[in-house]
Amino acid sequence: MEGPEEYDADEHLIQEAEKIAVALGRMFPGLCEVVLHDLRDPGHAIRAIENNLSGRQVGDAATELGLARIADPDYPGVVQNYPNRFPDGRPAKSTSIGIKNRAGDYVAALCLNLDVSVLSPVALTLGRLVATGPEHPGEPPESLGDRTARELRTAVESYAARSGSTPRSLSRDAKRELVRSLHRDGYFASRDAARTIADLLGISRATVYNYAG
């Protein structure tokens, strides 16, 4: 059981994180929601919500990602730029940052939810401006380099998010399907790709190679 000193230290950590949440939210009004979750109390986890775009309130429960962090201290500290959606259907781009105490336990999570619907018209215009097409449509486009570790992580997190899950919470069949898809798309050409996939999915490298075969 957590003693008074540990509780005070964790509380101080969360209070400092709350300052960051408020400052970030106020820097991007109308565009980016920032939520601080107190993972010590998952039933009433939301400690602060700045620039509220989702309609949630202080005292609301933790999300599935927050529960996954509580259950697994080895869960990735940062889940970056994964697709999400606000309750009214607006698309969002989210990042979740886990905060650990000195004992190595997750005590809080700082989450940023960017309303990309505001930026969509601009993105569409720029996309048309820089769009290219192969001269010979029947030929595959060239690759200018190996898939990066960041692209690999994004692909795994996006797959899980589309399934309403987290990478480690995917079923065995879903993990097998994901690994085979990554193999087909050339991600295994990256250095340490198997290790990265294994860490993200919570399985061994041997299992990754078995799924890919």
Side-chain angles (χ1 to χ4, degrees):
M1 185 174 179
E2 193 177 58
E5 292 183 3
E6 289 83 358
Y7 180 87
D8 289 344
D10 292 350
E11 178 63 23
H12 175 75
L13 194 63
I14 293 173
Q15 288 177 5
E16 292 299 299
E18 189 169 350
K19 297 178 186 176
I20 298 172
V22 171
L24 284 175
R26 292 180 181 177
M27 188 173 181
F28 303 102
L31 186 61
C32 185
E33 174 185 82
V34 184
V35 186
L36 179 65
H37 297 268
D38 183 346
L39 299 183
R40 301 172 302 173
D41 185 10
H44 306 85
I46 294 184
R47 177 70 171 261
I49 182 165
E50 190 68 29
N51 198 24
N52 193 334
L53 299 175
S54 64
R56 291 175 293 174
Q57 303 295 327
V58 171
D60 282 357
T63 61
E64 290 182 0
L65 197 153
L67 296 176
R69 280 206 172 99
I70 294 171
D72 182 8
D74 294 326
Y75 193 88
V78 178
V79 181
Q80 188 88 47
N81 295 335
Y82 59 93
N84 210 337
R85 204 165 276 279
F86 291 109
D88 61 4
R90 283 174 298 160
K93 183 172 78 170
S94 299
T95 290
S96 176
I97 306 165
I99 300 172
K100 288 184 175 182
N101 60 15
R102 293 182 64 180
D105 298 320
Y106 281 115
V107 295
L110 185 64
C111 301
L112 293 82
N113 303 307
L114 181 68
D115 183 358
V116 297
S117 68
V118 178
L119 304 175
S120 293
V122 178
L124 179 60
T125 300
L126 291 176
R128 288 172 175 169
L129 182 64
V130 303
T132 60
E135 184 176 351
H136 306 289
E139 298 179 3
E142 66 176 341
S143 174
L144 299 179
D146 291 342
R147 301 280 192 171
T148 66
R150 179 178 296 179
E151 288 175 328
L152 174 57
R153 182 178 294 273
T154 299
V156 171
E157 292 166 353
S158 296
Y159 180 94
R162 288 195 299 271
S163 303
S165 181
T166 61
R168 288 179 173 241
S169 300
L170 290 169
S171 68
R172 180 183 302 176
D173 288 343
K175 289 179 180 179
R176 181 183 293 108
E177 178 185 339
L178 172 57
V179 171
R180 289 178 177 173
S181 174
L182 294 172
H183 188 265
R184 287 194 305 269
D185 292 342
Y187 284 96
F188 276 70
S190 301
R191 188 179 68 176
D192 293 332
R195 180 189 297 275
T196 301
I197 295 170
D199 290 344
L200 288 170
L201 297 182
I203 57 180
S204 68
R205 278 186 290 172
T207 301
V208 169
Y209 287 121
N210 181 51
Y211 285 171

